[in-house]
Amino acid sequence: MTHFGPSSDPTLPSPPDAAFALCLRLRRQRAEAWVDGRHARKGAAKDETSIYDLRCETIVRFQDPFDFLYLYLPHSALSGLASELEAAHVQFDIAAGTNIRDPVVAHLGKCLLPALERPHEANELFVGSVAMALNTHFLHTYTSILPVDRLQRSGLTPWQLRIAKDLIRAHLDGEVSLADIATECGLSTAHFARAFKISTGTPPHRWLMDQRIEESKRLLVGSSLPLIDIAIKCGFADQSHFTRAFSARVGTTPGRWRMIRKS
């Protein structure tokens, strides 16, 4: 979630939790932090990320108006993902209060901002895919697990690919999770996401968007339905969401595309 606010008194001590917190700064912001009583002045640069090990008592005082994205990564989720990635062991040995400039974390974090600003347009496949990518990057970059080149790199079997595609097409609104599809394919979530991309050349949430666009083209040419009805049938939140997505993929608006095809 994104936080806004003025300079303030120190926060209350955080309750102990087996998790990491990633705070991605979206603007320049100075702050002070105390981790298990140790004082540290935090950097002020935009797009920097502070990593907090929530097993440590953490207190923060913001010195500027603040705007940041707070990402919560439970150790249990990271360990589960590591197991799915066939890592024999995960060592959580990140120094509490570490400040990093990681363009991957910044990019993935910002990918979530539109979903927070327009939650009615978000879908589980997209949010789940970004979360998977973020957790996987965090594991490989900031913990000790098996090298990437030792991971399985096989795609889906024909029957698994058929089931996955059928489920996605049946839920063009995106209200089906990676975990649900993976279960139907008899795979872990991480293995499914990796194998689907190998088989199709694109991650599940992008394949979903491609199916939305293709179905909308079929309806634009083969029916006289209003654009708003086509938008809803194809899983878009509303007509403006449909227009933005269609224009980004096709290079023109749905109305103009229909007019050219029917002229």
Side-chain angles (χ1 to χ4, degrees), residues 44-209:
K46 179 184 177 183
D47 292 340
E48 278 190 347
T49 301
S50 295
I51 303 178
Y52 296 102
D53 186 336
L54 298 182
R55 293 173 297 183
C56 305
E57 181 184 82
T58 303
I59 299 172
V60 180
R61 184 173 74 86
F62 299 101
Q63 298 171 306
D64 293 314
F66 58 90
D67 181 4
F68 64 85
L69 187 68
Y70 181 94
L71 302 165
Y72 178 76
L73 281 62
H75 289 188
S76 59
L78 292 169
S79 296
L81 176 59
S83 177
E84 292 179 13
L85 296 175
E86 300 189 332
H89 180 68
V90 182
Q91 184 67 40
F92 297 129
D93 54 3
I94 304 166
T98 297
N99 243 25
I100 60 169
R101 181 177 285 276
D102 186 327
V104 176
V105 172
H107 173 72
L108 291 173
K110 289 178 180 179
C111 282
L112 292 172
L113 291 180
L116 296 175
E117 293 165 355
R118 297 189 295 271
H120 62 291
E121 294 183 8
N123 64 74
E124 287 194 40
L125 273 183
F126 172 73
V127 174
S129 296
V130 175
M132 177 71 68
L134 179 66
N135 279 273
T136 302
H137 172 73
F138 187 85
L139 279 173
H140 286 304
T141 307
Y142 301 106
T143 68
S144 301
I145 65 170
L146 292 177
V148 176
D149 58 9
R150 293 182 60 182
L151 301 177
Q152 291 185 356
R153 293 190 175 278
S154 60
L156 298 173
T157 65
W159 73 267
Q160 289 171 328
L161 186 59
R162 183 179 66 255
I163 286 176
K165 287 182 174 181
D166 286 348
L167 277 172
I168 293 174
R169 289 194 188 101
H171 295 84
L172 288 181
D173 58 3
E175 293 307 309
V176 60
S177 68
L178 279 175
D180 290 339
I181 302 174
T183 297
E184 292 296 322
C185 294
L187 299 172
S188 70
T189 305
H191 188 179
F192 167 75
R194 185 169 63 249
F196 186 92
K197 185 173 181 179
I198 291 171
S199 294
T200 65
T202 188
H205 70 277
R206 289 187 182 173
W207 197 86
L208 164 67
M209 184 58 71

Side-chain angles (χ1 to χ4, degrees), residues 211-228:
Q211 300 314 298
R212 287 176 171 178
I213 297 300
E214 290 306 309
E215 177 64 10
S216 71
K217 286 180 176 179
R218 187 185 70 80
L219 292 173
L220 286 168
V221 172
S223 79
S224 57
L225 287 172
L227 294 181
I228 180 59

